[in-house]
Amino acid sequence: MLQTGYVFIVVFLLPLSSSSSCPAVCSCSSGEVNCRDRQLHLVPEDLPANATTILLDYNSIAVLRKRTFIHQHILRCLSLRSNSITSVHRQALVGLGELQELDLTGNSLTVLLSETFFPVPSLTVLNLGNNKLVSLDPELLGALPYLQTLTLHGNALTSLSSAFFENLPALHSLKLDNNPWVCTCGIQPLFQWLTDNVDKVPDVKSVSCKLPAPLVQYPILDIGNQSFALCHEPWLLPQDYAFFLLIGPSTFLASICISVFVGFIAVACTKMWTASHTYHRPPTTRAERQRISQPAYR
């Protein structure tokens, strides 16, 4: 009986021990797991399930794999600053439904899948600064209705679509400086958003053009609406292009036929005119005059 009770106690305590265990390479206190600067190449698998803050900054983590944080259901803050992250699996953040702050600053991300942030709908702060992002899918932030702070400084962004800003209803702060913005027609959605939301962009004058050369370091906000006067939507719709694709060849063939016909008429008219104006030498000898004056007999 005593042995059975002992086994029951051990089995009962195992989940509690597992949920509060701390990885040997980290230090844990009051819900915070500190794994900073521990020369980690992967996220530890034995992170405590009751953690509310996990700090993994200044390591050498390169990939966030599928279901990396599947047991951290009450996690509020996750920081992965200054690692070497190049890839985030679309299900890497599954299980983090309560996450409010995510810091990926100072990594090597070039692209993020549109599904990346689907598992973290409660996110209010997202730091993506100092990466290598070249573009952002308009749907990337569509699952973050409560996002208030977004940092995108120090990336390789050249423009942002108008649809991108439609998915940021609660945004209060957006950091965009130190990107190679190309100030052509494609920058108009960003210009318009900056114009309407100056108070939401810290140091808005530092959001400046990288290209073309005459506008280097020129603040996007100062470009002015008149600069986009020639930026219009195409005046032809897709069906118009289809019409011309079908009608074009037949029109071309018809023009060839008409040209040939007109050319034939012109040649015929020229011949007729030439024949009517041909010079006939008058008879000069007596024999020729007699031959002409004699009637023809059949």
Side-chain angles (χ1 to χ4, degrees):
M1 180 69 179
L2 179 62
Q3 183 177 5
T4 304
Y6 175 76
V7 171
F8 174 78
I9 293 173
V10 172
V11 172
F12 179 77
L13 291 178
L14 272 177
L16 296 177
S17 175
S18 174
S19 66
S20 59
S21 63
C22 186
V25 296
C26 307
S27 61
C28 302
S29 176
S30 302
E32 179 181 284
V33 182
N34 188 348
C35 304
R36 286 175 169 170
D37 197 13
R38 305 299 167 92
Q39 299 181 354
L40 299 174
H41 293 276
L42 292 172
V43 175
E45 295 183 355
D46 54 345
L47 292 169
N50 63 349
T52 55
T53 298
I54 296 178
L55 308 175
L56 289 160
D57 310 327
Y58 310 109
N59 285 291
S60 300
I61 300 170
V63 177
L64 292 184
R65 298 180 296 181
K66 181 179 180 180
R67 299 164 71 88
T68 299
F69 304 98
I70 189 62
H71 300 297
Q72 283 65 52
H73 300 298
I74 62 172
L75 192 67
R76 299 289 191 276
C77 176
L78 174 61
S79 183
L80 288 146
R81 294 174 64 94
S82 301
N83 277 271
S84 304
I85 300 173
T86 58
S87 175
V88 178
H89 191 278
R90 69 186 65 200
Q91 295 184 25
L93 304 178
V94 169
L96 300 180
E98 299 299 319
L99 191 68
Q100 296 179 2
E101 297 183 27
L102 174 61
D103 194 345
L104 292 168
T105 303
N107 284 282
S108 299
L109 294 167
T110 58
V111 64
L112 287 169
L113 300 175
S114 59
E115 306 95 333
T116 302
F117 301 121
F118 282 2
V120 288
S122 299
L123 207 62
T124 59
V125 178
L126 176 59
N127 296 327
L128 297 172
N130 293 328
N131 277 275
K132 300 177 181 179
L133 295 168
V134 296
S135 63
L136 292 175
D137 190 311
E139 301 299 322
L140 179 66
L141 306 179
L144 304 177
Y146 304 110
L147 189 65
Q148 298 178 12
T149 301
L150 174 62
T151 60
L152 296 172
H153 66 281
N155 280 280
L157 300 172
T158 58
S159 65
L160 291 173
S161 70
S162 57
F164 177 82
F165 298 105
E166 294 173 359
N167 291 319
L168 300 171
L171 193 69
H172 292 165
S173 176
L174 176 59
K175 195 171 183 182
L176 294 166
D177 57 289
N178 199 24
N179 277 283
W181 302 111
V182 178
C183 294
T184 55
C185 289
I187 206 70
Q188 187 172 12
L190 176 56
F191 162 77
Q192 192 61 57
W193 191 88
L194 290 175
T195 302
D196 298 336
N197 298 273
V198 175
D199 58 323
K200 296 181 180 180
V201 184
D203 198 11
V204 67
K205 291 289 186 177
S206 65
V207 184
S208 57
C209 306
K210 180 70 174 180
L211 291 172
L215 293 177
V216 171
Q217 299 303 319
Y218 194 81
I220 294 177
L221 190 64
D222 293 343
I223 293 177
N225 277 312
Q226 66 277 7
S227 300
F228 301 103
L230 298 179
C231 299
H232 299 292
E233 294 294 328
W235 64 276
L236 288 179
L237 299 175
Q239 56 266 33
D240 298 324
Y241 287 105
F243 172 79
F244 282 110
L245 183 62
L246 294 173
I247 299 301
S250 58
T251 304
F252 176 71
L253 293 175
S255 65
I256 292 178
C257 294
I258 293 173
S259 298
V260 171
F261 178 74
V262 171
F264 175 79
I265 297 297
V267 171
C269 291
T270 301
K271 288 183 177 180
M272 293 176 61
W273 185 88
T274 302
S276 64
H277 291 76
T278 301
Y279 173 76
H280 298 283
R281 181 178 61 84
T284 57
T285 64
R286 182 178 181 182
E288 289 177 345
R289 289 195 295 270
Q290 289 179 348
R291 187 173 61 253
I292 294 172
S293 63
Q294 291 178 354
Y297 295 96
R298 293 182 180 270

